[in-house]
Amino acid sequence: MIKAIIFDMDGTLLDSEKYFFEARIKASKEFGYERMEEHALVMRGFSSKYAKAYMKDVMGEDFPFDEIRMRRKEIFAEIQKERGIQAKKGAKECLEALIEKGYPIAIATASDPERAANLLKAAGLYQYFKEENIICATNLKRGKPAPDVYLFACDRLGIQPEEGLAVEDAPNGLVSAHSAGMKVVMVPDLSQPDDQLNEMIDCVIPGLNHLVNIVDKF
């Protein structure tokens, strides 16, 4: 029986992952690195520690990860100022319905607390979550795809992992939630699940407006 729902943030609740993707590509090109689309997709949901190790491994130790990351943040801020940050379609209605049904909800994100609060407020979703239930992997030893952030969120909500439902859009988050022992729902954003991910996913839905009925079936 599902007792609580834990959401990823970027690409799941917020229509922001596409902006991160764009910013990563632009920042990489400014430093002379072309055709980085595949790597940008792989890094979705990675904590900076894992992302840095991944890029150094595939591009070599000379890859200027920290410099590109700083420039990516600047470009993302420019995009946010120009276009704003919107909630994913059906997000507000989904959260309101879950709260009305009495489900505790939380967020498990790779973002830092300041950025998470900023983006959630910009999209009009911050008020749906207790501040202490916005769990940021930057405060933990390991980020996604390690299970720590989801295990911490389950503990914060007072549930066992098998009593929680994780809602994710990206592979690293799906691995994190599955490794924690949770039920996992995928709402695809920039990519669809492959055969390996399908073994970890309990359900794939086209949008958050389908989530409430799925939770009731669990």
Side-chain angles (χ1 to χ4, degrees):
M1 179 179 178
I2 297 301
K3 294 184 178 180
I5 295 88
I6 303 172
F7 292 87
D8 169 57
M9 188 177 73
D10 292 296
T12 300
L13 286 174
L14 305 181
D15 195 16
S16 51
E17 196 68 76
K18 62 187 180 184
Y19 296 153
F20 275 107
F21 182 82
E22 180 181 341
R24 286 189 183 104
I25 299 302
K26 287 184 177 180
S28 297
K29 285 183 177 180
E30 288 183 10
F31 282 79
Y33 292 88
E34 302 285 343
R35 297 185 296 276
M36 298 291 287
E37 288 80 4
E38 179 181 350
H39 300 311
L41 286 174
V42 169
M43 287 192 291
R44 286 173 299 154
F46 261 158
S47 66
S48 60
K49 172 185 175 181
Y50 290 109
K52 184 173 184 176
Y54 168 78
M55 291 305 302
K56 293 282 188 179
D57 182 56
V58 298
M59 301 299 292
E61 283 298 321
D62 293 335
F63 183 77
F65 177 85
D66 294 325
E67 293 84 350
I68 292 176
R69 181 170 179 261
M70 184 62 67
R71 180 58 183 141
R72 186 263 296 167
K73 288 184 176 182
E74 294 172 350
I75 294 173
F76 182 90
E78 293 166 3
I79 294 173
Q80 181 183 355
K81 183 177 180 180
E82 177 184 346
R83 307 177 201 172
I85 296 293
Q86 287 78 39
K88 294 286 280 189
K89 183 178 179 180
K92 293 181 181 180
E93 295 80 2
C94 172
L95 296 176
E96 289 171 356
L98 291 173
I99 292 171
E100 185 176 348
K101 285 177 172 289
Y103 286 106
I105 58 174
I107 287 176
T109 177
S111 294
D112 63 81
E114 181 179 358
R115 178 186 167 278
N118 173 274
L119 294 185
L120 289 167
K121 288 175 181 178
L125 299 183
Y126 185 78
Q127 69 270 22
Y128 295 109
F129 296 91
K130 296 179 180 179
E131 183 177 350
E132 63 268 24
N133 289 345
I134 301 175
I135 312 302
C136 298
T138 52
N139 292 332
L140 303 174
K141 185 176 181 180
R142 300 187 300 174
K144 299 175 184 179
D148 302 36
V149 67
Y150 276 107
L151 291 172
F152 190 94
C154 288
D155 185 66
R156 177 62 57 84
L157 293 174
I159 63 169
Q160 295 300 312
E162 60 269 21
E163 297 173 327
L165 183 68
V167 186
E168 275 277 359
D169 73 291
N172 291 311
L174 294 165
V175 172
S176 174
H178 176 75
S179 298
M182 300 181 67
K183 298 291 185 184
V184 184
V185 169
M186 182 180 187
V187 189
D189 182 39
L190 297 184
S191 62
Q192 297 293 323
D194 57 22
D195 291 340
Q196 184 178 3
L197 285 177
N198 278 325
E199 295 180 0
M200 306 180 191
I201 300 168
D202 294 279
C203 184
V204 179
I205 57 176
L208 290 172
N209 54 315
H210 294 266
L211 184 63
V212 175
N213 291 334
I214 294 298
V215 173
D216 289 342
K217 289 180 181 179
F218 277 110

